[in-house]
Amino acid sequence: MTARVRDAVDTTVWREVGAPLVPATATGPLTGHTVAVKDLFAVAGYPVGAGVAAYLAERAPESRHATVVAALLAAGADLTGIATTDEFAYSITGGNGRTGMPVNPAAPQRVPGGSSSGPAVAVARGEASIGLGTDTAGSIRVPGAYQGLWGIRTTHGSLDTTGLLPLAPSFDTIGWLARDAATLAAVAAAVYAARQAPADPGRAAADDPPVGGACGPGAPTAARARTRTAAAPRVPGAAQRTEPGRLVVDPALCAAAPSSAEQCLWAARELGAARVALGAELDRWFGAFRTVQAHEAWVAHGDWIVAHPGTLEPEVADRFAWAATVTDEGAAAARNLVAQASARITDVVGDGVLLLPTTAGPPPYRDADVRTRDAARTATLRLTCLAAIAGLPAVTLPLPRHDGLPIGLCLLGAAHTDHALIGLAARCASALTGSA
């Protein structure tokens, strides 16, 4: 991007932008759509920056598109640009110490949510119709809820992550944001159909090394092996299922989000959801999730961070500093608890769909102190980590505003019901608000 163009572009949202930056490679069901791609995906001709200026400066341009980027281009979508992310995607606030925090179009005095903040704001402002991002602990669902958007975290392992820079492969998933359910569904149809298509020679091959991180060139062999093992799909090659089951709600989960509980329970009543008891040990489960996530994040990026002290903003640097203290033994114990929690969540959800607040409350103020933002972050992650722990798909849809602020309802479904879950969410939105 030239200096002149950069002056005219909001660099809190866009790292690279064009008209388009990359045109569609064919006509198809997404013709007319435009994509903002999170700065974690390989885009041929451009380096991956992960929201870190020093990391970007050392990266070579990618030779091939990430698999999902190639699928969107082949379905007819144009790539408008590469959009910003929190550093190494290790945050749900939506800020970046080097590029700044994008303004939340739905609540300008509040944070936009992250780490897919750039794609979300681009979609909310109408600068793209699709925001391609990732969701490890909530990085699609949180900005979706905070900005009144639709978003999906896909079933873990259901889409090829070749060409995606990892954070915590046991939980990393591809997701996207849109202003309406129809666009969300159109993207799902395109990317899941692409899984069955012949390989695109312009796309990263399945046996190519993943982008950057511990799996990149020069990474320690042990780190590479651990990351590959963690990233194995839970149900390799599973087909999309056609219809989710009944709606259920756990009032105890809603109570964990006092600011959002009333709206969630109202929605559950209107939709006729049956009551269930998950018996979630939210603090213990989140603690185990956080430990495994941190351990894998350090495997992915620790060597680079050690070699580049002082390059990360304090909030993210502190998170990685703690990650460096997690031992293999501690991570193994945490994995055991994550597995137990996953079994419990999967058993209770069954073939149904669990309704819960997308976030613990409205977006915090942009100028809130670190302690306030950390409290909001932890409260929200206690809810968003449930889908990550169980590897299940989750859709966030916008509810009527609460006290003038955006609020999201989350539908957590059975594995490999992603496309059907979007359809159910659209019907729920129509019943609740008369629109989708």
Side-chain angles (χ1 to χ4, degrees):
M1 192 187 306
T2 67
R4 183 175 179 180
V5 171
R6 187 175 296 278
D7 288 343
V9 170
D10 185 349
T11 55
T12 68
V13 175
W14 297 104
R15 197 202 93 195
E16 301 283 350
V17 68
L21 187 70
V22 182
T25 55
T27 57
L30 297 182
T31 295
H33 282 287
T34 54
V35 186
V37 175
K38 187 176 185 177
D39 190 14
L40 294 179
F41 292 92
V43 175
Y46 299 88
V48 171
V52 182
Y55 187 82
L56 173 64
E58 296 180 356
R59 299 287 300 171
E62 297 294 327
S63 61
R64 299 183 178 189
H65 298 309
T67 301
V68 69
V69 172
L72 293 174
L73 293 170
D78 290 327
L79 196 161
T80 298
I82 300 169
T84 55
T85 175
D86 300 46
E87 293 177 333
F88 286 123
Y90 207 0
S91 175
I92 60 167
T93 300
N96 186 298
R98 303 304 187 268
T99 61
M101 181 184 289
V103 173
N104 181 344
Q109 302 306 314
R110 307 285 181 138
V111 303
S115 61
S116 303
S117 51
V121 172
V123 169
R125 294 201 310 208
E127 296 172 5
S129 57
I130 299 163
L132 179 65
T134 59
D135 190 309
T136 301
S139 288
I140 285 286
R141 292 165 287 158
V142 173
Y146 283 178
Q147 297 183 47
L149 298 172
W150 289 75
I152 182 169
R153 168 200 167 86
T154 57
T155 299
H156 184 266
S158 65
L159 291 173
D160 188 351
T161 57
T162 301
L164 171 63
L165 187 75
L167 175 65
S170 290
F171 309 117
D172 292 343
T173 58
I174 293 168
W176 51 92
L177 296 139
R179 293 187 295 276
D180 55 74
T183 302
L184 208 71
V187 175
V191 297
Y192 281 110
R195 292 191 315 164
Q196 311 304 322
D200 179 348
R203 180 180 69 194
D207 57 354
D208 282 350
V211 174
C215 297
T221 302
R224 220 181 248 159
R226 277 179 290 178
T227 304
R228 272 203 299 267
T229 300
R234 297 173 191 231
V235 189
Q240 283 287 296
R241 293 158 61 184
T242 57
E243 189 62 35
R246 66 172 186 158
L247 295 171
V248 297
V249 65
D250 181 353
L253 282 183
C254 296
S259 299
S260 306
E262 183 180 345
Q263 288 284 88
C264 182
L265 291 171
W266 164 77
R269 288 193 300 271
E270 291 293 309
L271 297 170
R275 294 196 170 200
V276 295
L278 179 60
E281 300 177 70
L282 292 179
D283 289 332
R284 289 187 70 227
W285 291 3
F286 171 56
F289 166 83
R290 175 175 177 255
T291 300
V292 175
Q293 180 193 32
H295 188 256
E296 294 189 4
W298 190 251
V299 168
H301 302 299
D303 288 348
W304 188 90
I305 290 168
V306 168
H308 299 77
T311 56
L312 301 179
E313 64 173 315
E315 180 182 340
V316 175
D318 288 348
R319 214 159 283 147
F320 273 110
W322 181 78
T325 70
V326 178
T327 64
D328 290 347
E329 294 75 17
R335 284 186 192 280
N336 288 334
L337 182 51
V338 165
Q340 295 171 29
S342 175
R344 175 63 182 169
I345 295 165
T346 301
D347 181 60
V348 171
V349 172
D351 289 327
V353 175
L354 177 67
L355 302 177
L356 69 159
T358 302
T359 61
Y365 283 102
R366 292 172 65 90
D367 59 359
D369 58 51
V370 173
R371 188 173 182 178
T372 300
R373 290 210 307 222
D374 277 351
R377 174 181 179 274
T378 298
T380 285
L381 288 174
R382 289 165 77 239
L383 296 172
T384 57
C385 76
L386 298 177
I389 285 171
L392 299 179
V395 171
T396 183
L397 63 91
L399 287 177
R401 288 188 169 225
H402 181 65
D403 294 333
L405 294 170
I407 186 170
L409 176 69
C410 183
L411 279 68
L412 177 63
H416 304 287
T417 59
D418 307 48
H419 203 174
L421 190 63
I422 296 171
L424 176 61
R427 296 193 294 275
C428 290
S430 181
L432 294 171
T433 67
S435 65

